[in-house]
Amino acid sequence: MATKEFPPPVKWADDRLGIGKIGKNNLRKVFPDHWSFMLGEIALYSFIILLLTGVFLTFWFKPSMAEVEYQGSYSLLKGLHMSEAYASTLDISFDVRGGLLMRQIHHWAAILFVASMMVHLLRTFFTGAFRKPRELNWVIGFAMLFLGIIEGFIGYGLPDDLLSGTGLRITQGMIQASPVIGTWLSFFIFGGEFPGDDMVSRFFTIHVLLIPGLILALVTAHLFLVVYHKHTQYPGPGRTQKNVIGYPLWPVYTAKAGGFFFVVFGITALMGALLQINPVWLYGPYNPAEVTAGSQPDWYMGWLEGSVRLMPGFESTFWGITLSWNLIIPALLIPPAFVTLVAAYPFIEQWITGDHRDHHLLDRPRNMPTRTGIGAAFITFYGLLWIGGGNDLIATHFGISLNNVTWFLRFAVFLGPVLAFWVTRRIAISLQRADNERLLHGLESGIIVRSPDGEYYEKHSPISKYEAYSLTARDRTLPLEIGPETDDNGVRAPRRALKKVRASLSRFYFADAVQKPTAAEIEEAHAHAHAAHGHEDDHHEAVEGVTGTVEVDDATAHKVVEH
Amino acid sequence: MSDEKANLPAVTAEEDHGQVQVAEPIPDPGIEPHENRITDIDPKAADRVERQVATMFSLAGLLAVLACVGYFAIPRDSEVTVGPLTGNANNLTLGLCLGFGLFLIGAGAIQWAKKLMVDVEISEDRHPAYSSPEQKTEITEAFQVGVEESGFTRRKLIRRSLIGAMALLGLPAIVLLRDLGPAPGRKLFGTIWAEGIRVVNDVTLRPIKPSDLVVGQLVNGAPANLAAMQEDSPVEYQNAKAKAAVIMVRIPPAEIQVPPGRENWGIDGILCYSKICTHVGCPISLYEQTTHHVLCPCHQSTFDLADGAKVIFGPAARPLPQLPLAVDAEGYIVAQSGFHEPVGPSFFERG
């Protein structure tokens, strides 16, 4: 084989950096193809868009609460006293060409950033992509979501308009209500009493330096681990735990993923051009004695807002101290508990199932009915709190009593998740049964056939061997066994109680899940179908190892239902 | 059930690095054969896609140029109106040109990848994330050699003093943040309201006589000594305003239930309460005349102003603090005293 030399600029770099070696491992790196794998890409690209548009905004934004008289071109606010932060936001919106566009792209991209991270997290959850060896990448991703939400909220606070000030006032009230350290914490964060004149400059540094820096570091780690572990793939023909099937990075994903960046940027730019967002000039400068009705935060803060809105007004006063349960519970206990559960989920599930094996093949959500149910319960809980965050708008838009909406939601946040869990799990189990039926008896063709004896039956067509394989390419995981109570010498096993809890959780986890059929069962279904009709249908091609023929008579159909 | 279990292969879930068994009961048939796309077999179709992609890229270039032209050609304050919608023409042109331009580059690249680039799936082997036994041995040994050579485990004095020093280094990191803010002190307990301070309209800054208020009216009020603070210190002004804002209402005296001890706090049904919600401090603003309820727009806490501003719905736990009123020599409404309790959201030391 003739040796090839790099072109001069590449050679120059390779001599110094050895970039050829990086390319050797990665140019033809394979990524599996599925639409759900691009959700994380949207998050990555919107983060890049945020960095680009954010830098543009910093050229004009003045992170200062010094009071100035507005003299810009928005005539309705001319002559009004306001902070430099608000005045410079107006300048960006009215006097810098393209400034409003950049502001709106920045805001839309922020909303998209958090939304895509959240949907990406759900995809990862429902397909079990968080399992070993990827638990840490789940935690990293979760940390980015958490930071992204804080980042978004702080950014929303920077223009120092009436709406953002109201959001900060609420946050300050929550901080102030924290037990023991609340007032100190609030005075330290805001540099004294609220509003003070420090918050914008402090939040600006956090917003443009600290959190983006952290997110950038985490993005790097996240992507490094994706490359190192190689991407997960859905089960299917040829897809095993030991390979990854798909298209190469160079050129297919270079074009697809690179192109997708421009698609995301293009769409956010069109949104920035056409869809107005956060028109701060309509709200006016922040005034701690004013507020607008129907105040709403950006969507990702809605569930926290709802949590606070739904809580009844409990407060305890004793020994000269006040404990505001109406804030401690909905703002300081429930959200952290919720997010900790989400962040720790891979470890919790692993403990319950006792599964310490590597998983590179994804689960179809139906094949893990309990996990899918838990996910649905979490979504329902989150969603109901989110609805609670807009209880006033629901009441005014639908003409119903605000108090009734609130009371309904106070109960629904507890009952809804339980119902969602149960319904989702049953649906998943039914889907598993449907899969097994399809596997054992083929597809319903809709063609009714009369046999020479006068018997009617529906003709079933066989499924392809590829589909049959895809349907069965999953694990048979059984509940964890805890072993005997005592060993051979009659010594009681240690930590028996904990193990019992674990075993019962594991039984709950796998309860009612439908296992895929065994080879014997497939054989039997095959044989039964033949025996029932006593004829060989020659246009049914037998699928190796699967369903030879798939006509079903009533007896078999019955049997499947019972199964 | 037990029969069914007997059929199943043992799952060695507990075992580290155990393999997940998926290729049963049906053996893995291998990757599905590649199916040709129209562009793989028909050169004309491939050429058509090439023209599509090239058109998208060219249009994107054209739009980039148009964006620049629009930037200079369209005055920054010109408006466009489409039906009920209006927008800044300069901004809109820039956004549309950039947005469609970027989108077309992306769409072109994706079309190229999907229709023209080879789409044969290929396989790559995975490698376990963990280190091989040899690597583990080698690394462990290297680490132990380092520990041995440094004497870190043997020389306890060095080890302990180093750990102690590192731990103590955390202290200055915390102490240095002390000046982030002043000590809260008693700041949250008081407002600038005091005996004899007039209640003024918070927009016109005019003092108010009882006869200025009709029954059912609500006035957003401020202390008369607030406005002068703005010149001296805008910060102190904002901070004072955030606590001192009040609402003053006139309710038919017959409908008022006066809490004990507050019999002389109102003037002919004129009552004054803190405007700052006792929940998290939003200014309360929605007043319903017929029920004398005020609603906080942030979390919908509802207070009954005719009944000592007690909470009748929502997450707030305490009534709005009431400001005792009197009339001064010139007939204007003044405060008898400051608030008798801290205003605004609760805090730990509040008592």
Side-chain angles (χ1 to χ4, degrees):
Chain A
M1 198 170 94
T3 54
K4 287 178 185 167
E5 183 54 276
F6 287 137
V10 182
K11 183 178 182 308
W12 189 91
D14 183 62
D15 286 348
R16 285 149 187 87
L17 308 167
I19 55 165
K21 288 178 209 148
I22 304 169
K24 176 180 152 274
N25 291 329
N26 294 301
L27 269 183
R28 295 291 281 180
K29 192 167 184 62
V30 171
F31 284 93
D33 212 42
H34 193 270
W35 66 267
S36 68
F37 298 160
M38 75 179 185
L39 297 166
E41 271 183 76
I42 300 178
L44 174 67
Y45 299 151
S46 39
F47 181 63
I48 296 170
I49 296 165
L50 285 166
L51 291 179
L52 294 173
T53 51
V55 169
F56 180 93
L57 295 175
T58 58
F59 294 153
W60 290 275
F61 180 70
K62 295 191 180 71
S64 150
M65 292 178 83
E67 203 171 274
V68 291
E69 200 179 301
Y70 178 65
Q71 290 300 348
S73 54
Y74 186 63
S75 53
L76 289 178
L77 294 176
K78 221 166 231 181
L80 227 64
H81 285 259
M82 56 182 65
S83 67
E84 274 194 289
Y86 185 64
S88 60
T89 309
L90 294 177
D91 288 343
I92 291 171
S93 307
F94 294 106
D95 295 295
V96 177
R97 279 175 283 186
L100 177 64
L101 177 71
M102 289 297 169
R103 253 198 67 218
Q104 297 198 141
I105 296 177
H106 195 70
H107 204 129
W108 278 119
I111 281 172
L112 188 66
F113 179 49
V114 182
S116 54
M117 281 196 288
M118 209 172 270
V119 182
H120 176 52
L121 177 137
L122 290 176
R123 196 282 293 172
T124 307
F125 179 87
F126 284 113
T127 58
F130 55 79
R131 290 171 299 169
K132 190 185 166 190
R134 296 182 178 76
E135 304 98 318
L136 286 178
N137 226 15
W138 165 272
V139 176
I140 291 173
F142 180 81
M144 285 193 285
L145 173 59
F146 187 75
L147 287 171
I149 289 173
I150 296 176
E151 176 74 344
F153 180 70
I154 292 179
Y156 173 91
L158 288 179
D160 202 26
D161 59 285
L162 187 55
L163 189 59
S164 79
T166 303
L168 290 173
R169 170 82 234 206
I170 293 169
T171 313
Q172 188 272 337
M174 291 176 188
I175 295 170
Q176 186 175 306
S178 314
V180 189
I181 54 165
T183 41
W184 286 85
L185 203 57
S186 168
F187 271 62
F188 279 14
I189 291 172
F190 292 90
E193 281 188 277
F194 184 84
D197 60 354
D198 288 325
M199 63 182 185
V200 168
S201 49
R202 286 181 183 179
F203 291 169
F204 181 73
T205 307
I206 294 171
H207 182 78
V208 305
L209 180 72
L210 185 62
I211 297 182
L214 290 174
I215 294 180
L216 198 58
L218 290 172
V219 166
T220 312
H222 201 68
L223 291 178
F224 171 78
L225 283 176
V226 169
V227 170
Y228 182 66
H229 288 141
K230 297 195 169 80
H231 207 287
T232 50
Q233 57 191 350
Y234 284 94
R239 278 115 177 113
T240 70
Q241 298 284 357
K242 291 189 168 169
N243 69 12
V244 50
I245 309 278
Y247 303 116
L249 177 64
W250 180 256
V252 174
Y253 275 103
T254 313
K256 271 190 171 179
F260 192 51
F261 166 71
F262 287 96
V263 168
V264 174
F265 203 169
I267 289 174
T268 45
L270 289 174
M271 290 168 85
L274 297 169
L275 309 173
Q276 185 182 73
I277 186 158
N278 203 21
V280 289
W281 56 90
L282 299 180
Y283 308 144
Y286 181 56
N287 175 347
E290 282 174 12
V291 68
T292 46
S295 297
Q296 286 288 306
D298 272 347
W299 76 270
Y300 45 82
M301 299 303 288
W303 72 291
L304 292 168
E305 176 83 354
S307 168
V308 172
R309 286 184 183 197
L310 298 185
M311 182 71 196
F314 301 143
E315 195 169 84
S316 310
T317 309
F318 53 90
W319 305 333
I321 59 166
T322 300
L323 290 177
S324 306
W325 302 112
N326 53 352
L327 290 169
I328 292 171
I329 292 172
L332 305 176
L333 290 179
I334 290 177
F338 181 79
V339 299
T340 308
L341 264 181
V342 175
Y345 185 81
F347 305 100
I348 298 171
E349 188 185 282
Q350 196 171 70
W351 185 74
I352 291 174
T353 59
D355 189 347
H356 292 288
R357 301 164 304 171
D358 283 1
H359 289 275
H360 301 294
L361 288 177
L362 297 169
D363 286 322
R364 294 173 82 203
R366 67 183 61 176
N367 288 334
M368 292 300 276
T370 305
R371 181 201 292 151
T372 305
I374 290 173
F378 267 61
I379 293 174
T380 309
F381 180 71
Y382 182 96
L384 287 166
L385 287 182
W386 195 56
I387 291 170
N391 59 353
D392 52 339
L393 296 178
I394 289 170
T396 52
H397 278 74
F398 296 102
I400 43 183
S401 151
L402 172 77
N403 301 20
N404 292 349
V405 174
T406 308
W407 271 111
F408 171 77
L409 288 169
R410 279 174 181 174
F411 287 99
V413 288
F414 296 107
L415 301 177
V418 177
L419 187 69
F421 170 79
W422 185 79
V423 169
T424 308
R425 195 163 82 142
R426 292 322 303 182
I427 291 174
I429 289 169
S430 303
L431 286 170
Q432 281 188 308
R433 288 192 178 135
D435 278 352
N436 274 4
E437 194 171 340
R438 191 179 172 95
L439 195 62
L440 290 171
H441 309 293
L443 288 171
E444 292 174 6
S445 65
I447 301 166
I448 306 295
V449 178
R450 197 178 83 162
S451 73
D453 319 335
E455 181 195 8
Y456 287 92
Y457 63 93
E458 186 182 4
K459 200 166 163 165
H460 282 224
S461 344
I463 55 174
S464 77
K465 62 179 173 184
Y466 299 108
E467 192 191 344
Y469 178 73
S470 300
L471 289 179
T472 53
R474 63 182 174 104
D475 211 5
R476 289 178 201 278
T477 318
L478 296 173
L480 192 72
E481 298 283 346
I482 52 169
E485 171 112 28
T486 53
D487 64 11
D488 294 341
N489 300 325
V491 178
R492 278 175 63 84
R495 296 202 292 176
R496 185 77 188 163
L498 188 67
K499 281 184 181 166
K500 272 187 180 158
V501 171
R502 192 176 166 192
S504 58
L505 278 173
S506 188
R507 274 199 303 279
F508 166 74
Y509 209 83
F510 294 110
D512 303 336
V514 180
Q515 301 286 0
K516 62 183 175 183
T518 59
E521 281 167 341
I522 289 177
E523 193 88 352
E524 193 196 326
H526 173 155
H528 192 88
H530 280 268
H533 298 293
H535 64 91
E536 194 68 51
D537 204 343
D538 28 38
H539 44 259
H540 281 176
E541 286 167 44
V543 171
E544 298 97 287
V546 209
T547 49
T549 163
V550 277
E551 283 91 343
V552 172
D553 62 7
D554 285 346
T556 320
H558 226 76
K559 192 170 165 262
V560 169
V561 174
E562 278 165 12
H563 182 79
Chain B
M1 184 67 201
S2 57
D3 268 353
E4 201 180 328
K5 258 189 190 173
N7 284 334
L8 303 173
V11 176
T12 53
E14 277 283 20
E15 221 170 87
D16 277 352
H17 314 314
Q19 277 302 312
V20 180
Q21 290 297 322
V22 291
E24 63 83 26
I26 292 163
D28 187 350
I31 305 178
E32 288 183 72
H34 176 250
E35 277 181 32
N36 279 329
R37 298 162 297 186
I38 180 96
T39 44
D40 290 328
I41 42 180
D42 180 2
K44 272 187 187 162
D47 289 347
R48 201 160 54 234
V49 172
E50 183 184 0
R51 283 195 300 277
Q52 283 170 7
V53 173
T55 310
M56 288 194 246
F57 286 163
S58 315
L59 269 178
L62 185 68
L63 283 164
V65 176
L66 273 180
C68 299
V69 173
Y71 184 94
F72 291 108
I74 301 170
R76 68 183 71 185
D77 54 356
S78 67
E79 296 240 317
V80 281
T81 308
V82 183
L85 306 170
T86 57
N88 179 290
N90 187 296
N91 199 63
L92 202 61
T93 310
L94 269 180
L96 290 176
C97 290
L98 288 176
F100 281 116
L102 289 163
F103 182 86
L104 284 172
I105 291 179
I110 291 170
Q111 176 76 342
W112 178 14
K114 286 181 88 109
K115 296 287 170 67
L116 291 179
M117 289 183 185
V118 172
D119 77 332
V120 179
E121 285 189 312
I122 55 175
S123 171
E124 191 181 323
D125 287 342
R126 287 183 193 276
H127 307 288
Y130 53 88
S131 317
S132 68
E134 299 80 52
Q135 285 169 324
K136 284 181 200 167
T137 314
E138 201 177 314
I139 293 158
T140 313
E141 276 167 7
F143 180 77
Q144 275 160 356
V145 169
V147 170
E148 206 50 46
E149 288 177 357
S150 70
F152 189 77
T153 43
R154 257 180 305 125
R155 302 201 180 274
K156 290 195 179 111
L157 208 57
I158 290 184
R159 194 176 77 220
R160 287 177 187 163
S161 54
L162 176 62
I163 292 171
M166 297 303 278
L168 289 172
L169 213 55
L171 280 179
I174 296 165
V175 168
L176 278 169
L177 296 175
R178 169 60 190 86
D179 279 347
L180 274 175
R186 300 285 296 173
K187 285 204 185 86
L188 292 176
F189 287 85
T191 65
I192 59 169
W193 284 106
E195 187 186 346
I197 304 275
R198 282 181 181 165
V199 181
V200 298
N201 180 303
D202 80 338
V203 178
T204 62
L205 303 181
R206 291 215 181 91
I208 301 160
K209 286 182 175 166
S211 55
D212 297 338
L213 282 170
V214 297
V215 168
Q217 192 179 356
L218 179 141
V219 169
N220 288 306
N225 52 349
L226 177 68
M229 294 177 75
Q230 190 164 16
E231 282 300 302
D232 298 343
S233 163
V235 196
E236 290 303 322
Y237 167 76
Q238 289 281 7
N239 292 353
K241 191 177 186 178
K243 289 190 298 184
V246 292
I247 43 177
M248 196 157 66
V249 282
R250 186 159 200 166
I251 300 169
E255 293 174 19
I256 298 176
Q257 288 171 303
V258 184
R262 299 191 189 173
E263 289 77 7
N264 63 345
W265 286 20
I267 307 157
D268 292 338
I270 297 176
L271 302 173
C272 187
Y273 295 99
S274 166
K275 191 184 180 181
I276 309 302
C277 185
T278 57
H279 180 222
V280 281
C282 288
I284 288 167
S285 60
L286 302 171
Y287 181 54
E288 195 177 48
Q289 223 186 77
T290 47
T291 55
H292 352 98
H293 292 170
V294 277
L295 179 96
C296 176
C298 288
H299 304 96
Q300 290 80 45
S301 296
T302 313
F303 303 86
D304 186 353
L305 296 187
D307 189 7
K310 76 166 190 203
V311 184
I312 53 167
F313 191 74
R318 286 180 292 106
L320 297 170
Q322 189 177 354
L323 188 73
L325 297 179
V327 177
D328 68 6
E330 292 171 53
Y332 291 109
I333 300 172
V334 295
Q336 273 182 39
S337 68
F339 286 102
H340 290 205
E341 57 180 316
V343 300
S346 293
F347 51 96
F348 186 70
E349 304 89 330
R350 190 176 182 280

